[in-house]
Structures are given as C-alpha cells and as structure tokens.
Amino acid sequence: GAGVSQSPSNKVTEKGKDVELRCDPISGHTALYWYRQRLGQGLEFLIYFQGNSAPDKSGLPSDRFSAERTGESVSTLTIQRTQQEDSAVYLCASSWTSGGSQFFGPGTRLTVL
Amino acid sequence: QQPVQSPQAVILREGEDAVINCSSSKALYSVHWYRQKHGEAPVFLMILLKGGEQKGHEKISASFNEKKQQSSLYLTASQLSYSGTYFCGTMNYGGSQGNLIFGKGTKLSVKP
C-alpha cells in the first residue's frame, strides 16, 4: 500500500483479556517502530525492529507487552492481561533505514473497560 | 533521556512567527521534527543531522546546535494549517541506533 496501515482502528476490550494489534509498514521499509500515546500526551517509544537484527525492546513497559515482526513486513503488538492503564492510541511507524524519517500509521485506539 | 520542548503551548495570529525549542541533556546525533493535528497521526517535517540544517517546508525551517545540544523550529508567517502539536524526536550518541525519544510536544494554535 501507499502508507502504513494498522488494524483494527478501534479496539474495546475487557480488563484481563489479551489483544493483538497489527501493523503493515510501507513496502521496502526496513525499520519499524511501535509507540503508545495516551490522551493529550506525547509519543512513548515501545519497541523498534531493524531488518534481521534483534529488536530494541527497551521501551516495553512490562512483560505483558510483546511484539513480533515477520521479516521486513507485518508486525504484531500483543498485550496480555490488559489493564485500564493500557488504554491509549498505539501508533506504528516505519522508515527506509534505521534513523530515517518515520511514516506513521493512523493508529489503533485501545480502550480497556 | 527525554528532550525538553519549550514553550508547551503558543497562540499566534495568522502571519505571525514562532520558534519552538528542543533541548537535550545528552549529545545529539540527530533531531527529527513532526507535526500532529488533532485526531491524526504525526507527520514528518524534517530531520537534522549533526552539523547540518535542513529545510523541509517553504516557511518552516530548523536549526541544530550540536554544542548546545538543542534544535529550534522556526515557523514564519504562520498559516491556519500550521496549527497542531509539534514534537521533536532525538537520537543520542550511544543510544539505540534507530529509535527516537520524543519530547512532550508544543501545541501551536493559529487564529485568523
């Protein structure tokens, strides 16, 4: 596609359930990033993938959060046993190379009841 | 280390100028600037590499002072379309080669 796509656009779940968020980066982009943005707040780095290198997981807030990426394509962010404080917009971005300009997807708005 | 942006918010009249600053306590390798309109995803404006300055848009430019570990975004003759929240993202020496740490943002409102 022409841009980064994310699905679902909205997700409402109950506390304690697991959720899986998907990101399709721009074709050819080797780097992929996940961010969390709480209402009215800035962008909080979660995890970064670059090619076949080990991902930088330094931003993951707890072991309930994990992410995978298949080659240089789709990535999924999984949140286990969701908590109300996980409610936020989860943004995915990709770039041609590490450190390059990032192109963001529209985000997934997660609401944990 | 999260960069510090100032001011937190600014209100302008159309045609006025504004400067947004981004400072880091660590040596900077590069600085990115993004704009996010309400309810939308952030959009890339420009990237500044060490020792360089790059203009990404006609009336929006930026500077990068390595020594002072800071960058400034200049918006000239502001237009209504400039309204939004501006974020700087920094990449530090010794940090992960790729991920950006974003500031808390500067909310810019341009009034007619």
Side-chain angles (χ1 to χ4, degrees):
Chain A
V4 178
S5 60
Q6 292 186 244
S7 61
S9 55
N10 279 285
K11 177 72 177 178
V12 180
T13 190
E14 293 179 348
K15 180 181 172 181
K17 301 276 189 183
D18 297 352
V19 295
E20 195 171 275
L21 312 179
R22 177 187 169 106
C23 172
D24 282 88
I26 293 173
S27 178
H29 280 195
T30 62
L32 185 147
Y33 316 79
W34 283 98
Y35 297 92
R36 179 170 68 181
Q37 188 172 34
R38 292 196 168 105
L39 187 63
Q41 302 297 308
L43 300 163
E44 178 187 359
F45 166 75
L46 297 177
I47 189 168
Y48 153 64
F49 296 89
Q50 170 59 52
N52 295 319
S53 302
D56 177 353
K57 303 179 182 180
S58 60
L60 294 178
S62 77
D63 59 8
R64 295 187 296 106
F65 288 72
S66 63
E68 292 184 346
R69 187 181 186 192
T70 307
E72 292 187 350
S73 60
V74 172
S75 175
T76 54
L77 176 69
T78 302
I79 308 173
Q80 295 178 310
R81 306 181 302 282
T82 52
Q83 304 293 314
Q84 288 183 331
E85 66 259 27
D86 298 336
S87 295
V89 174
Y90 288 82
L91 290 160
C92 172
S94 68
S95 62
W96 283 111
T97 61
S98 166
S101 55
Q102 296 184 19
F103 294 83
F104 283 81
T108 293
R109 181 176 297 278
L110 176 66
T111 303
V112 182
L113 302 176
Chain B
Q1 194 80 16
Q2 185 177 39
V4 176
Q5 287 187 235
S6 63
Q8 290 183 331
V10 59
I11 299 174
L12 298 175
R13 291 286 180 190
E14 236 180 327
E16 291 181 338
D17 302 340
V19 179
I20 300 172
N21 298 304
C22 175
S23 297
S24 174
S25 60
K26 291 190 172 184
L28 293 173
Y29 177 76
S30 67
V31 179
H32 296 218
W33 286 96
Y34 291 79
R35 176 172 64 206
Q36 184 177 33
K37 292 184 178 287
H38 183 68
E40 299 180 8
V43 173
F44 171 77
L45 293 177
M46 65 189 74
I47 180 172
L48 297 105
L49 302 174
K50 64 169 188 169
E53 171 182 316
Q54 181 172 333
K55 288 188 179 183
H57 295 261
E58 198 174 304
K59 291 183 179 178
I60 300 177
S61 62
S63 63
F64 180 19
N65 188 322
E66 275 180 85
K67 195 171 181 181
K68 293 185 179 178
Q69 297 172 182
Q70 68 182 35
S71 174
S72 296
L73 186 72
Y74 306 95
L75 298 103
T76 307
S78 59
Q79 305 169 17
L80 296 176
S81 61
Y82 287 5
S83 292
T85 301
Y86 289 77
F87 293 98
C88 69
T90 58
M91 197 173 298
N92 301 113
Y93 282 101
S96 173
Q97 291 303 303
N99 78 39
L100 293 175
I101 305 299
F102 284 91
K104 292 185 177 181
T106 295
K107 186 173 182 180
L108 177 73
S109 300
V110 181
K111 308 289 185 185

